[in-house]
Amino acid sequence: MSAGRIATVTPVSEEAATGKVAAVFADIKATKNIAFVPNLWRVLATNPDHLELVWTRLKAIMHPEACGRTSKLDPLVREIIALAVSATNGCAYCVNSHTAAVRKLGLGVEALGEVMAVVGLFNSTNSIAEGYQVEPDILPPLE
């Protein structure tokens, strides 16, 4: 972990993982096709049930193909949404993680700048509309 941020619990090392934690760690690496377990999952592993719950949910939504499902959204779109929400929420860990993911999926730096411009624009206009308490008048169709 970086010198500027210290986890509030000691992350579980891959070497110390057993049982449910070891199984989830192996699934994370296989599903994400990575060689190590990222810090978020190692910290969540301090509570194996929570680790399993969060991983199962993330896997189902972000990696539906790994669960035998198809998605109307391609992996890049899912990661762009995750990046936009992470930037809006101010989560440096997730911004870095999802930026790495979109770059790995082929998003160039210029397109990344465009994503951040959209995020910034709508954070601003959402705040303005909410501040003025503007009544919605453009509504989605009811099905």
Side-chain angles (χ1 to χ4, degrees):
M1 299 192 144
S2 71
R5 186 168 275 218
I6 300 171
T8 59
V9 296
T10 301
V12 175
S13 71
E14 291 184 59
E15 299 75 33
T18 60
K20 183 185 291 188
V21 171
V24 172
F25 280 6
D27 194 29
I28 289 167
K29 293 193 304 188
T31 301
K32 293 182 159 293
N33 193 26
I34 55 177
F36 67 97
V37 177
N39 287 335
L40 175 67
W41 303 108
R42 293 179 51 232
V43 167
L44 284 171
T46 60
N47 181 321
D49 291 336
H50 194 210
L51 168 68
E52 182 180 51
L53 176 70
V54 174
W55 170 245
T56 300
R57 189 167 174 229
L58 183 134
K59 183 178 175 181
I61 294 169
M62 295 301 287
H63 303 280
E65 62 287 345
C67 300
R69 296 185 313 103
T70 58
S71 175
K72 302 287 186 206
L73 301 177
D74 67 50
L76 179 58
V77 170
R78 290 192 300 264
E79 287 293 344
I80 288 171
I81 293 167
L83 173 58
V85 172
S86 299
T88 297
N89 287 337
C91 179
Y93 182 90
C94 294
V95 166
N96 279 280
S97 174
H98 295 293
T99 298
V102 298
R103 298 284 294 153
K104 185 177 178 181
L105 290 168
L107 192 73
V109 292
E110 190 172 342
L112 178 60
E114 202 171 321
V115 168
M116 289 297 108
V118 171
V119 169
L121 171 66
F122 281 90
N123 277 327
S124 171
T125 58
N126 287 185
S127 294
I128 291 166
E130 193 59 22
Y132 280 117
Q133 293 293 292
V134 177
E135 183 178 344
D137 58 353
I138 302 171
L139 304 172
L142 298 176
E143 295 185 279

